[in-house]
Amino acid sequence: MVLGAGMAGMLAAAALARHVDTVTVLDRDRLPGDADPRKGVPQARHTHVLWSGGARVIESLLPGTTERLLEAGAHRIGLPEDLVSLTAYGWQQRFPETQFMIAAGRPLLDWTVRDQAQADPRITVIGDTDIIGLRGDAERITGVTYKPRRQGTVSVLDADVVVDAAGRGSPMKRWLAGLGMPAVQEDVVDSGMAYATRIFRAPEGAAKRFPLVSVYADHRAGVPGRNGILLPIEDGRWMVTLSGTRGGEPPNTEDGFTAYLETLRHPLLAELVSRAEPLTGVQASRSTANRRLFYDRLVDWPEGLVVVGDAVAAFNPVYGHGMSAAALGAAALGAALEESGVGPGMARGAQRAIGAVVDTPWSLGTSQDICYPDVYIETRDPRLTRYAGERRAQADLIGEAALGDPVVCAAAMQVNTLSGAADALQSPEVRAALGRIPAGGVRPDGPTLTEEERGAAALVVANQSE
Ligand SMILES: Cc1cc2nc3c(=O)[nH]c(=O)nc-3n(C[C@H](O)[C@H](O)[C@H](O)COP(=O)(O)OP(=O)(O)OC[C@H]3O[C@@H](n4cnc5c(N)ncnc54)[C@H](O)[C@@H]3O)c2cc1C
């Protein structure tokens, strides 16, 4: 059984269904029968990019999902071809696509994945149900206790495997302590980032196809980071999200939103947004701390229990890694089931593999977040303490080179989209390319919108340098 019918829960259900007779997914929300928002996933009001690394895994677990999303109006953004981005280092050259992302509202992503999974007759999703606690002991978890929200009696559901996919708020750490297990190591890196999002109707010419436009902070500047992203989504809409680290948080008022856009490192986003019609007010969020629970490091781990998704590791959303990491975690569960069935050692093997797959997004995001002023850090990870400086210097070198060198850009895209291991950045080709810098590579000196895109967005001012 699976606790939580979010992205991690439904993908874990799909992985489980290949190895067991029935999978029951319980969620406290009444689950909508369409792409509608719901209370249990409040972050759905904000920009959610699904990187190719996650999209491919979702496709392998639930074939046909990508096509359904695109048919429902999601945009496929080729990377970096359809990207107009001012990174910390400068404007990114729009090289031919090596990776991609799916751009859609989160309710559409969630609904499509849930509906695809529910098409499997072995999977049953039950909403309106609170999970109360675990059954079993520190050696083996045998099920959960739950309570339907309206009917009100506590019941027991026995299961060979219990997957916790209850998100950032999962009570698992507390439940395991209640079983007498040793404390689990918890690392936190919190840049204090706040989010503010508003949805607009795209200008007519830009409704069907438009690049993703982003203006990012320079984390080396020693000031709070301020970012903006315009994501084209279904129904001809633009989802515009502003985000700022502690001391640079975006306001949640409409006037404040417009004023904050003007404070980004380049006026491009402000100009694009000024030509679009607002469809909503401003929504805010502060659930952005990087938090990782090292369940994989506990010496003893109960049989029959696996923790996946945000319940294991939640990331600063500005890097867009959460859903893809959840998908990779579900695939790791699938691989462990393939190897051991639901038999002894499966849960421990799966938990270790999940710990490994969350490590790349963890280190990518946290190593940048620690550069911002007033960041809260609770970690013993030497990559974020003793070796932080040299690792940062290497990441900056790659970030700089990726702007104008297609080989470095492809490697960086592969890692950032969670499509390959971080050691792609150490390949001989990348090393050779880095050796060519600064001689090689053409770096754009201003926004990279084409004339056609400028016309589509009714933008009249000329491309300007940073
Ligand atoms: C502002 C913001 C923006 C983000 N942007 C991106 C992005 O661009 N790209 C990206 O990949 N990720 C992004 N993320 C991260 C992404 O939202 C999460 O990584 C993803 O939702 C994790 O999925 P999950 O299934 O683990 O958890 P959730 O989606 O949180 O789902 C947990 C589920 O468990 C249920 N539940 C919880 N407790 C109980 C209980 N006791 N009983 C029953 N049910 C319960 C909830 O109702 C919910 O359905 C963003 C996050 C935030 C906060």
Side-chain angles (χ1 to χ4, degrees):
M1 65 136 317
V2 180
L3 240 128
M7 188 61 75
M10 294 318 302
L11 295 173
L16 271 171
R18 296 176 179 186
H19 302 274
V20 298
D21 296 334
T22 57
V23 182
T24 306
V25 185
L26 302 179
D27 199 288
R28 61 156 72 109
D29 269 1
R30 187 173 312 166
L31 296 160
D34 211 334
D36 294 325
R38 62 188 178 90
K39 212 168 146 210
V41 190
Q43 71 269 36
R45 291 182 288 226
H46 299 278
T47 295
H48 270 73
V49 302
L50 175 61
W51 295 120
S52 40
R56 287 192 202 98
V57 172
I58 294 174
E59 189 61 30
S60 71
L61 288 167
L62 297 168
T65 304
T66 316
E67 200 170 324
R68 257 188 78 172
L69 283 167
L70 297 177
E71 272 167 15
H75 293 231
R76 185 183 186 285
I77 308 271
L79 298 174
E81 197 165 342
D82 302 324
L83 193 61
V84 172
S85 183
L86 176 62
T87 75
Y89 313 98
W91 290 98
Q92 173 64 52
Q93 183 77 264
R94 291 174 70 174
F95 296 121
E97 166 181 333
T98 55
Q99 299 293 334
F100 65 93
M101 69 164 72
I102 302 293
R106 174 73 192 261
L108 176 61
L109 291 169
D110 270 4
W111 160 244
T112 309
V113 165
R114 194 165 72 247
D115 196 47
Q116 286 276 99
Q118 286 182 121
D120 185 329
R122 289 165 296 191
I123 298 177
T124 308
V125 183
I126 302 173
D128 251 341
T129 302
D130 278 319
I131 320 285
I132 312 286
L134 291 177
R135 301 263 298 164
D137 53 33
E139 309 255 295
R140 164 172 281 284
I141 299 305
T142 57
V144 296
T145 47
Y146 68 95
K147 187 163 149 248
R149 289 203 132 182
R150 278 179 284 171
Q151 191 187 318
T153 22
V154 176
S155 307
V156 169
L157 184 65
D158 292 323
D160 292 330
V161 181
V162 172
V163 177
D164 173 14
R168 269 185 192 261
S170 161
M172 187 54 67
K173 190 174 104 168
R174 189 164 40 83
W175 285 347
L176 292 181
L179 295 178
M181 288 183 58
V184 59
Q185 183 189 329
E186 179 172 356
D187 281 7
V188 178
V189 175
D190 183 3
S191 69
M193 183 161 275
Y195 258 53
T197 297
R198 201 171 183 198
I199 299 179
F200 296 81
R201 181 172 309 292
E204 209 180 320
K208 287 229 162 60
R209 187 163 179 79
F210 202 69
L212 182 153
V213 182
S214 55
V215 174
Y216 287 109
D218 183 350
H219 54 277
R220 302 161 299 179
V223 294
R226 288 163 176 257
N227 313 293
I229 179 168
L230 180 162
L231 188 77
I233 61 169
E234 71 274 11
D235 302 328
R237 294 174 298 160
W238 282 352
M239 194 171 224
V240 179
T241 289
L242 304 175
S243 58
T245 64
R246 195 167 281 115
E249 298 91 337
N252 58 7
T253 60
E254 291 169 12
D255 288 347
F257 190 91
T258 308
Y260 191 93
L261 272 166
E262 307 276 353
T263 70
L264 299 178
R265 281 172 59 224
H266 193 279
L268 178 64
L269 265 183
E271 294 186 5
L272 285 169
V273 169
S274 71
R275 280 156 184 80
E277 176 200 345
L279 295 175
T280 65
V282 180
Q283 302 282 353
S285 172
R286 283 180 175 268
S287 291
T288 62
N290 299 284
R291 193 209 59 162
R292 179 172 178 185
L293 288 152
F294 288 86
Y295 292 121
D296 48 308
R297 290 194 183 160
L298 288 174
V299 176
D300 297 312
W301 183 250
E303 297 289 351
L305 177 67
V306 177
V307 190
V308 74
D310 276 16
V312 174
F315 311 97
N316 180 345
V318 80
Y319 307 106
H321 283 143
M323 295 185 298
S324 294
L328 288 162
L333 165 64
L337 286 161
E338 199 71 55
E339 196 174 313
S340 324
V342 294
M346 185 286 290
R348 186 189 174 77
Q351 207 57 53
R352 290 207 168 154
I354 290 166
V357 298
V358 299
D359 193 61
T360 296
W362 174 260
S363 95
L364 287 173
T366 53
S367 64
Q368 184 153 325
D369 280 356
I370 57 173
C371 302
Y372 289 109
D374 300 325
V375 61
Y376 171 80
I377 304 173
E378 194 182 314
T379 181
R380 280 176 274 152
D381 187 340
R383 297 173 302 178
L384 298 175
T385 53
R386 198 164 1 136
Y387 304 119
E390 65 194 67
R391 285 174 57 85
R392 195 61 252 160
Q394 179 67 11
D396 288 342
L397 189 67
I398 288 165
E400 203 57 78
L403 298 181
D405 187 289
V407 173
V408 182
C409 180
M413 285 287 168
Q414 187 184 348
V415 175
N416 288 332
T417 59
L418 304 189
S419 301
D423 53 16
L425 296 170
Q426 310 294 337
S427 74
E429 296 77 21
V430 170
R431 281 168 192 266
L434 288 177
R436 287 199 294 273
I437 304 296
V442 180
R443 293 175 47 165
D445 60 1
T448 53
L449 280 173
T450 62
E451 279 314 311
E452 196 186 334
E453 288 160 354
R454 302 181 72 78
L459 211 59
V460 282
V461 292
N463 278 338
Q464 322 170 17
S465 300
E466 189 192 335

